[in-house]
Structure formats: C-alpha cells, structure tokens
Amino acid sequence: MMSAMVMGPAMSTVAPQRVAERVAYRVPNRVPNRMPDRMPSRMSRGTARPTTPPRAERTADSAVAAPSAAVSGAHLRLTTRGRVVLWLLAATVVALVTLLGSQASADGPVTAQEVQRHVVQPGETLWQIAESVATPSQDVRDVVVALVDLNELPDAGLMAGQVIVVPAR
C-alpha cells in the first residue's frame, strides 16, 4: 500500500501518526512583549477557559503575508515600569538642558584698553619696559606676561627698532 506522504530530502521517516501527535501538541506562537487578554491566574476554578477558534492551515501565500500582517497589527504597549523610566529620562533631559542653558552667558562689551606705541631702543628688554609701565602694586612678572599677550609676541625677546604697544600711563 502506497503512502500519500511525499518524501523529500528534508522530511523525516517518522510514521504519519507520530507526526500528527507532534502537531497536536504544538504551542501557538505568541507576539513578543504582549500580554494575553485574560490571565489564567485570575480565573476562578468554576469558570471554563475561553476557547479560541482553530488556527487556519498555513499555505505558501499566507507564509509570505503573515509577517506584514503581524507588523501592521502590533502596537507598542508600555508597562508601568516602562512609562516611569520614560518619564524619568525625559525629566533628566529637560533638567540637563535647563542647567546647561542657564550656565551659558555672553560676555558684555569689553572696554578698550588705552595704549601707546613704544619703539624698542638698542639693549632695552621687555622686563625694563614692564618696570617702567607697572604701577607700584603690580608684580613686574604679570606685566611682562600682559605685554607678551597684548603684542601677540612668540616669546619675551625684542629687537631694536621693533614697535610694541604698552598700556597708557
């Protein structure tokens, strides 16, 4: 007697009644991150479980259409914990933007420093020029650094005949 089952390279040689038993105990696929409508733990002992209609046979056409149907029908549902995390994340972003935004401030208009030109004489050093410009309460080293910054000099070395600017007295 010939079997109606067609054997292919991927098919097993298990008896047809064994295959039918395996199919009968197959667990239905569930959509991830989705709670069922009714939880079994909440049902009382006397009530009957709701029955679900039998699943339709899967054909080659439905296998191709199934993923798009599952994607279009799936909705994102957040748990209470997920909502709390989302709110805390949003509040943290708002707090950071507020704190960092309040720290940013523009400088006001800077008053121009009054300067005069000075022509460097042979043998004259920046230290000597700083001593002549510094007030008695100022440190000469700070004045030398200020003169280097003001004239954008690469170092404290000067050449005779070089023109630099010094703060007005």
Side-chain angles (χ1 to χ4, degrees), residues 36-112:
D37 292 335
R38 297 178 194 219
M39 296 295 292
S41 62
R42 293 185 183 172
M43 295 174 52
S44 64
R45 283 190 168 179
T47 61
R49 291 187 86 162
T51 59
T52 57
R55 291 177 55 173
E57 282 295 320
R58 232 177 142 174
T59 63
D61 294 337
S62 66
V64 173
S68 63
V71 171
S72 65
H75 296 286
L76 177 66
R77 292 188 182 182
L78 287 177
T79 61
T80 304
R81 180 179 175 187
R83 282 188 214 105
V84 168
V85 168
L86 189 63
W87 276 106
L88 287 175
L89 182 66
T92 303
V93 168
V94 169
L96 285 175
V97 167
T98 303
L99 288 175
L100 295 176
S102 66
Q103 299 279 332
S105 61
D107 290 337
V110 178
T111 58

Side-chain angles (χ1 to χ4, degrees), residues 1 8 12 21 24 36 42 52 57 66 68 98 106-107 116 126 134 142 152 157:
M1 179 167 149
S12 67
E21 287 173 9
R42 293 185 183 172
T52 57
E57 282 295 320
S68 63
T98 303
D107 290 337
Q116 47 181 279
L126 194 58
D142 293 335
E152 299 176 353

